[in-house]
Amino acid sequence: MMTKLCTSKTNRGTVLLGHGLNLNPEKLLELAKLYNDLGHDVIILTFPGHGKGSNASEFSILSSIEVLRVAVTECKGDYIFCGFSISCLVYAVAVAQRKIPEAKKNIFLAPAFRPTTFLSLARFLPSFLFVPSRLYKDYQVHKGLWMSIYHDLYNHAQILESLPFKSPSLLIVDEGDEALNVRELVVLAKDIPQHVFKHRKTESPRHLLVDRHSLGEESWGVYTQKLQAFLELK
C-alpha cells in the first residue's frame, strides 16, 4: 500500500518514505511535508499489518519488500529512500538480494540494521508470546506484536554482515536509543556520514525520530537542516 503526495512543477525527484514496526504511517506526514516543501514528490509506504483495520500478524519482511519493490517500479528506478527503523532493514535486505535497484540517495533514521540484545534473546522465546508496544499510544497501530515477528526480524538482520550501499547516504540516530544496538550500528555504518543526537531534551522514546513532537523543537531544527543539506548535495 502507498500514499502518494505530489508537489509543484518544480519536482526534484520522488522520496520513498518508510515507517517503523508498529508505527502509524500517518506519523510520517510532517516529514513528508518537509520533503514536499523542498520540491519532492513523496510516497509513504504502508507495510502489511500497518493499515487501518489490519492485523499485526500480516507483517513480514518479505511481504514488506514486495510493497517496496512495487513502489520502486513506479519510480522507474529514480528515487530517494528515507526510512525509519525497520523499513531501513527491509530496504537493505531488498538491495542486498538485488530485488530492487539502490536509490540515488539514502537517508536512514534510527535504522534497525543490527539485532539488539532483545532480538538475540527473543529468538529462543515461543512464537505465540505477545509483546506489548512501548510506543506512545497515538503512534501505535497495535497494542503489541507476537514474538514470531521478532523472530523474522532477527533472521533477516543476520543477513546483513555488511551494508550493501554505494549511493550517498546519511544516518541519524540517538545515542540513548534502547531499541537499537547503537554502538554496533555506528561501527557498521562507519563509512556513512552520521549525526548522533546526544542530549535530546524530550520525554519521547529515544528511538522515535519522525516528527517535531518526538524530537523536540530544538532537535527538530537540527534534524531538518541535516536532511535539507544532504538533499542539496550534488
Side-chain angles (χ1 to χ4, degrees):
M1 296 172 62
M2 297 172 283
T3 301
K4 189 165 186 177
L5 309 173
C6 294
T7 61
S8 65
K9 295 179 181 179
T10 59
N11 179 264
R12 301 176 65 185
T14 299
V15 175
L16 294 186
L17 192 52
H19 60 77
L21 184 63
N22 203 32
L23 180 75
N24 182 350
E26 292 182 1
K27 290 300 179 179
L28 299 178
L29 286 173
E30 187 172 15
L31 188 54
K33 184 180 184 304
L34 170 68
Y35 289 131
N36 278 173
D37 291 344
L38 294 174
H40 297 272
D41 282 1
V42 178
I43 293 177
I44 298 179
L45 306 168
T46 301
F47 296 136
H50 290 78
K52 292 182 179 178
S54 63
N55 190 303
S57 62
E58 297 171 15
F59 177 83
S60 73
I61 296 293
L62 290 181
S63 61
S64 301
I65 286 176
E66 180 59 19
V67 170
L68 176 59
R69 187 194 65 77
V70 171
V72 170
T73 300
E74 278 202 8
C75 298
K76 299 179 181 179
D78 186 18
Y79 69 102
I80 295 167
F81 177 78
C82 176
F84 166 66
S85 191
I86 203 63
S87 64
C88 299
L89 176 60
V90 170
Y91 172 69
V93 172
V95 171
Q97 296 182 341
R98 299 182 180 179
K99 294 184 178 180
I100 59 170
E102 186 179 353
K104 60 185 178 182
K105 284 188 178 180
N106 303 311
I107 300 172
F108 302 122
L109 311 174
F113 291 144
R114 272 288 178 262
T116 61
T117 300
F118 169 73
L119 282 184
S120 298
L121 295 174
R123 72 187 192 276
F124 300 113
L125 297 175
S127 296
F128 58 80
L129 191 67
F130 186 78
V131 183
S133 176
R134 296 176 64 187
L135 291 176
Y136 288 148
K137 288 184 178 180
D138 60 330
Y139 282 74
Q140 297 174 11
V141 181
H142 307 288
K143 293 181 179 179
L145 301 170
W146 284 273
M147 188 58 67
S148 58
I149 293 176
Y150 292 101
H151 292 171
D152 185 33
L153 303 189
Y154 176 83
N155 291 336
H156 281 88
Q158 290 294 90
I159 293 173
L160 295 179
E161 294 181 3
S162 61
L163 298 180
F165 311 117
K166 297 180 180 177
S167 300
S169 302
L170 172 68
L171 182 148
I172 299 180
V173 70
D174 189 307
E175 72 170 3
D177 187 344
E178 295 180 355
L180 299 177
N181 189 329
V182 176
R183 183 175 298 178
E184 280 194 21
L185 173 62
V186 168
V187 173
L188 179 70
K190 62 183 182 301
D191 297 324
I192 296 177
Q194 303 178 19
H195 179 77
V196 180
F197 284 106
K198 297 184 178 180
H199 302 288
R200 272 209 288 154
K201 295 180 180 179
T202 171
E203 295 179 359
S204 172
R206 298 296 193 203
H207 186 54
L208 286 173
L209 295 172
V210 294
D211 58 8
R212 192 185 308 266
H213 174 67
S214 61
L215 278 147
E217 197 66 39
E218 182 178 346
S219 293
W220 174 255
V222 175
Y223 177 87
T224 54
Q225 288 173 11
K226 290 285 182 183
L227 296 181
Q228 183 171 354
F230 178 70
L231 289 174
E232 291 175 353
L233 289 174
K234 300 298 183 181

